[in-house]
Amino acid sequence: MTMARPPRRRLGSLTVVSLFLTVMALVLGPLPSSAADSDPGWWNPTARPAPDAQVDVTGEPFKGADAQGRVRGFVDAHDHIMSNEGFGGRLICGKPFSEQGVADALKDCPEHYPDGTFAVFDMITKGGDGKHDPNGWPTFKDWPAHDSLTHQQNYYAGIERAWRGGQRVLVNDLVTNGVICSVYFFKDRGCDEMDAIRLEAKKSYDMQAFVDKMYGGPGKGWFRIVTSSAQARKVIEQGKLAVVLGVETSEPFGCKQIMDVAQCSKADIDRGLDELKELGVSSMFLCHKFDNALCGVRFDSGALGTAINVGQFLSTGTYWKTEDCKGPQHDNPIGNAAAPEAEKRLPKGEEVPTYASGAQCNTRGLTNLGEYALRGMMKRHMMLELDHMSVKAADQAFEVLESEDYPGAISSHSWMDAGWTERLYKLGGFSAQYMSVAGPFSEEAKSKAPLREKYDVGYGFGTDMNGVGGWPAPRGEDAPNPVKYPFRSTDGGSVIDKQTTGERTWDFNTDGAAHYGMVPDWIEDIRNVGGQEVVDDLFAGAESYLDTWGGSEKHRLGQNLATGASASASTTEWWNPFVNFGARKAVDGDKGTRWASEWKNDQWLRVDLGSPKPIERVTVDWEAAYAKSYRIELSDDGENWRTAWSTDSGNGGLDTVRFASTPARYVRVLGTDRGTKWGYSLREVGVFSS
């Protein structure tokens, strides 16, 4: 069930405290460096690797919860710390940490010599002009940069800077793509996606141990991998960073499809989900970039979309297929842009199809295996990432989640159709916006502020660093309302100056979001451009994210009273002697079977619960032959019926019907007007007390 949240006052105590601290900051000014050096505090390590990057933040990180028991802090709901270990190990140059320090972690990439020409992915994504100085430490002349997609942006000291600047939750999505790995020129390992996920999980725990060592031993560092919302709350109340493991990959558990034939089974899915839970994974995507055996994807646009469509063909033997959308939501338009370098990979005679501009929805939705995987995630209290699902798949996933009142749904980086934001919030889910330039980010945040007010939720961002997506460009040193260094953190307790690594000092006004350490600077830019209210909503993100996670953990799947019950029907379609479409097929717990009526209106399916039960929810899972108009009726004796709910606008799929709790022994689904030329066909009927 959906868990109630404590009220959050948008302009209440949080804003008052923030204003007070801001005034104090103006009065007191930056802390003298001598004061910071004389008392390093629990938040500074006893020793760092040498040489190393600077953090350039002073002051104690805030701890505890507010007077209402709510944690505070920013949420990055989508980051890829370890993606240098994916894609064959050579797509992302550099490591997020090294015992030998920054000189080893961010050293030169040999294949990028002499001028970046062989940084193939940079050359492709920059339209053939990805040339750059390949040198890293100590000069960093050309990287990391906001538009450089193949250099490490998640060096641990940058993440530390973001934590010191007020971030309290970071979702580290373990990521790879087998097709990109297979076609990329450089690799030093195999392309099995699950092998990469396992390695990235191990490296994440290694990074936690690396930070712990600097602070005196296990459990003492600020980088804490958490596997429950309670652990996360404890970590945040200690003033540290709660790191959540997620998975974003194209073929989880080997669930690819070839010529629309699934290459995995339910047993593979169960083994895979159990393994991910053992690794500490709490959220995941069911599909990403390529249609797989679980779901269809939300398209990419332009030349990138064409390149990914090529990858789709190389992976599955099929291209994306489109259709007219059934409602206002739609996938990204594919377009018909050329991607010559990618198209060279196609077999001779193959061409990427062209697409009608009006057909913007993927024909592929959530498959039966995909629904099985989703329900498996729910049983394991995991959170589903909706971004990258096609409109059809996301709609079907919402229907499953809503049928169980399961709140564990996340949109982490602006890839869910925005028209479903209220549907997400109503369910109890969490939304974050892709990290973009302060102006557009703030405008988008403000457009959804009334919904956040209505559902009393905070907001998040998804940096997608190391996710080859691009990040906020500099607005320019002459732009209005620039970031002025040093500045105070949102809580007011820390002073943040320009970040320096080796011979390079970054200024957000002229460098933009070049690496993860610029997150606090970006938030300050949002405050200057978009206003304090946007930042306040972001600062309330940690509490809302943990509300969604906690609701998922506390949720208990309802008992379907109809499963195995006696069932009867007005008529049953006869197909042949070997196929049975009888009424009991709709209450056998198997979505691969169904009841089908004769091809006429006014047909019904009746379920006998055996004795009166309090009923308040009924689920009706239609096969292709659905009812446009139908009623849910209840009875004590099987003869006298009363209508509990009705509709004249049915559109098939999985319907969840709710009404005031009513005792009844019999439940009847009565179809009065068919939605197709066929009869009525139900995969499964569910009856629930709560």
Side-chain angles (χ1 to χ4, degrees):
M1 63 184 170
T2 303
M3 304 303 296
R5 292 179 171 83
R8 180 175 67 83
R9 301 190 186 102
R10 284 172 62 88
L11 297 177
S13 57
L14 176 63
T15 303
V16 172
V17 171
S18 180
L19 289 172
F20 171 76
L21 291 171
T22 300
V23 172
M24 292 300 292
L26 292 173
V27 173
L28 297 174
L31 297 174
S33 59
S34 59
D37 293 340
S38 63
D39 181 18
W42 63 269
W43 55 93
N44 283 314
T46 55
R48 292 184 185 274
D52 208 5
Q54 296 175 204
V55 177
D56 297 297
V57 180
T58 57
E60 181 175 2
F62 60 89
K63 295 182 178 181
D66 66 13
Q68 288 75 37
R70 301 168 300 196
V71 297
R72 301 163 293 159
F74 303 115
V75 178
D76 181 352
H78 194 106
D79 186 32
H80 302 292
I81 300 175
M82 297 297 167
S83 67
N84 60 293
E85 303 292 351
F87 309 101
R90 299 286 285 275
L91 183 67
I92 304 295
C93 173
K95 300 178 286 189
F97 72 97
S98 170
E99 295 285 354
Q100 287 73 51
V102 68
D104 178 62
L106 301 183
K107 62 185 178 184
D108 308 342
C109 297
E111 61 264 31
H112 289 200
Y113 282 110
D115 60 359
T117 300
F118 291 103
V120 180
F121 203 78
D122 256 4
M123 295 297 288
I124 292 173
T125 55
K126 288 188 176 182
D129 188 21
K131 292 185 179 182
H132 61 274
D133 183 338
N135 291 318
W137 175 268
T139 56
F140 296 107
K141 179 181 177 182
D142 286 338
W143 66 269
H146 72 91
D147 58 352
S148 175
L149 307 188
T150 63
H151 292 97
Q152 180 61 246
Q153 293 172 298
N154 276 310
Y155 188 60
Y156 92 93
I159 298 174
E160 179 180 354
R161 177 179 164 91
W163 158 63
R164 293 282 298 273
Q167 187 171 319
R168 290 297 178 267
V169 177
L170 188 158
V171 179
N172 176 26
D173 282 319
L174 314 176
V175 65
T176 191
N177 183 290
V179 173
I180 292 176
C181 171
S182 66
V183 302
Y184 194 57
F185 295 98
F186 306 106
K187 61 179 73 70
D188 56 21
R189 63 199 65 174
C191 295
D192 184 274
E193 292 191 354
M194 290 306 294
D195 283 347
I197 296 305
R198 296 179 189 106
L199 177 60
E200 290 180 39
K202 177 185 181 300
K203 290 290 186 178
S204 298
Y205 286 102
D206 289 348
M207 181 165 163
Q208 177 177 258
F210 166 80
V211 175
D212 280 351
K213 183 178 178 181
M214 287 191 288
Y215 284 79
K220 295 188 176 181
W222 52 268
F223 185 94
R224 312 303 320 153
I225 297 174
V226 295
T227 57
S228 71
S229 63
Q231 284 183 357
R233 286 187 183 278
K234 183 176 180 181
V235 163
I236 295 170
E237 287 171 358
Q238 292 172 345
K240 300 181 180 182
L241 179 68
V243 179
V244 183
L245 297 186
V247 165
E248 182 184 43
T249 192
S250 294
E251 298 165 359
F253 328 130
C255 282
K256 69 183 299 177
Q257 63 174 0
I258 298 177
M259 300 302 292
D260 290 318
V261 177
Q263 304 298 301
C264 68
S265 65
K266 291 180 178 179
D268 294 324
I269 292 168
D270 283 330
R271 281 193 297 270
L273 288 174
D274 286 342
E275 180 181 11
L276 291 184
K277 286 295 288 185
E278 288 245 349
L279 292 174
V281 171
S282 299
S283 65
M284 71 173 294
F285 294 77
L286 289 180
C287 51
H288 177 239
K289 297 303 181 185
F290 305 148
D291 297 332
N292 62 22
L294 306 179
C295 54
V297 294
R298 187 170 172 85
F299 308 130
D300 282 81
S301 298
L304 179 59
T306 300
I308 292 174
N309 204 5
V310 169
Q312 157 103 3
F313 178 83
L314 296 176
S315 175
T316 71
T318 62
Y319 297 101
W320 288 330
K321 299 176 183 177
T322 64
E323 63 184 5
D324 291 340
C325 302
K326 302 298 189 294
Q329 286 77 28
H330 59 82
D331 295 320
N332 297 319
I334 297 176
N336 296 300
E341 291 300 318
E343 291 175 85
K344 289 177 183 177
R345 296 284 179 176
L346 290 171
K348 186 176 181 180
E350 274 294 333
E351 292 184 359
V352 177
T354 58
Y355 295 92
S357 60
Q360 293 188 6
C361 281
N362 195 335
T363 61
R364 296 179 173 101
L366 189 70
T367 68
N368 289 337
L369 280 176
E371 181 177 340
Y372 183 83
L374 172 54
R375 291 186 182 277
M377 291 176 64
M378 293 161 66
K379 289 177 183 177
R380 294 164 177 83
H381 308 288
M382 298 173 72
M383 292 178 285
L384 172 71
E385 290 271 9
L386 290 160
D387 290 6
H388 289 297
M389 277 186 164
S390 68
V391 160
K392 181 180 285 188
D395 184 35
Q396 292 168 314
F398 266 120
E399 289 177 344
V400 173
L401 296 165
E402 290 161 347
S403 74
E404 294 285 357
D405 289 330
Y406 189 79
I410 306 289
S411 174
S412 61
H413 64 336
S414 301
W415 268 70
M416 180 188 76
D417 190 289
W420 274 334
T421 304
E422 182 162 18
R423 192 176 184 183
L424 179 72
Y425 285 154
K426 187 175 182 180
L427 187 64
F430 181 80
S431 176
Q433 185 186 159
Y434 190 89
M435 185 187 198
S436 59
V437 176
F441 183 94
S442 299
E443 290 305 311
E444 175 64 21
K446 289 175 181 178
S447 74
K448 296 296 188 293
L451 281 178
R452 293 195 296 278
E453 178 77 27
K454 178 179 179 180
Y455 290 95
D456 192 29
V457 294
Y459 202 36
F461 55 83
T463 62
D464 204 11
M465 291 277 181
N466 285 5
V468 296
W471 300 276
R475 293 196 297 118
E477 56 187 339
D478 296 328
N481 302 313
V483 174
K484 296 179 180 178
Y485 296 92
F487 59 88
R488 288 274 179 175
S489 59
T490 299
D491 65 289
S494 298
V495 176
I496 302 168
D497 211 336
K498 294 179 181 179
Q499 196 276 325
T500 297
T501 302
E503 299 172 10
R504 177 80 183 272
T505 296
W506 276 271
D507 182 328
F508 190 82
N509 301 302
T510 54
D511 296 312
H515 58 77
Y516 207 92
M518 306 305 286
V519 167
D521 313 56
W522 172 69
I523 290 172
E524 176 68 3
D525 202 36
I526 289 174
R527 188 186 69 81
N528 292 341
V529 173
Q532 185 65 41
E533 185 170 309
V534 177
V535 176
D536 285 347
D537 274 7
L538 290 170
F539 202 60
E543 176 65 29
S544 286
Y545 182 88
L546 297 187
D547 276 349
T548 293
W549 193 2
S552 306
E553 293 168 321
K554 295 171 186 176
H555 185 273
R556 295 295 177 266
L557 298 176
Q559 179 187 1
N560 186 353
L561 303 175
T563 301
S566 175
S568 57
S570 54
T571 62
T572 298
E573 179 185 4
W574 188 89
W575 189 257
N576 63 51
F578 307 103
V579 178
N580 183 354
F581 293 136
R584 291 186 60 83
K585 297 297 183 180
V587 293
D588 62 359
D590 183 355
K591 291 183 178 294
T593 64
R594 60 189 175 94
W595 164 69
S597 77
E598 293 180 353
W599 294 12
K600 52 188 177 182
N601 293 328
D602 300 318
Q603 301 297 301
W604 51 261
L605 176 88
R606 185 179 73 171
V607 180
D608 181 358
L609 303 179
S611 62
K613 302 286 195 309
I615 301 167
E616 62 180 47
R617 177 163 54 101
V618 174
T619 59
V620 184
D621 192 355
W622 297 101
E623 195 254 351
Y626 67 93
K628 180 180 179 181
S629 300
Y630 72 99
R631 300 197 296 266
I632 302 297
E633 299 181 326
L634 306 178
S635 174
D636 300 321
D637 56 11
E639 298 292 337
N640 299 293
W641 297 92
R642 55 191 182 274
T643 299
W645 180 91
S646 66
T647 183
D648 293 322
S649 56
N651 59 1
L654 176 60
D655 291 341
T656 299
V657 175
R658 292 180 173 83
F659 43 82
S661 182
T662 306
R665 173 175 171 173
Y666 299 91
V667 179
R668 186 166 72 173
V669 181
L670 173 62
T672 56
D673 187 14
R674 289 171 292 159
T676 69
K677 65 180 180 180
W678 304 293
Y680 303 104
S681 185
L682 288 170
R683 290 192 181 96
E684 203 72 15
V685 171
V687 179
F688 301 89
S689 290
S690 62

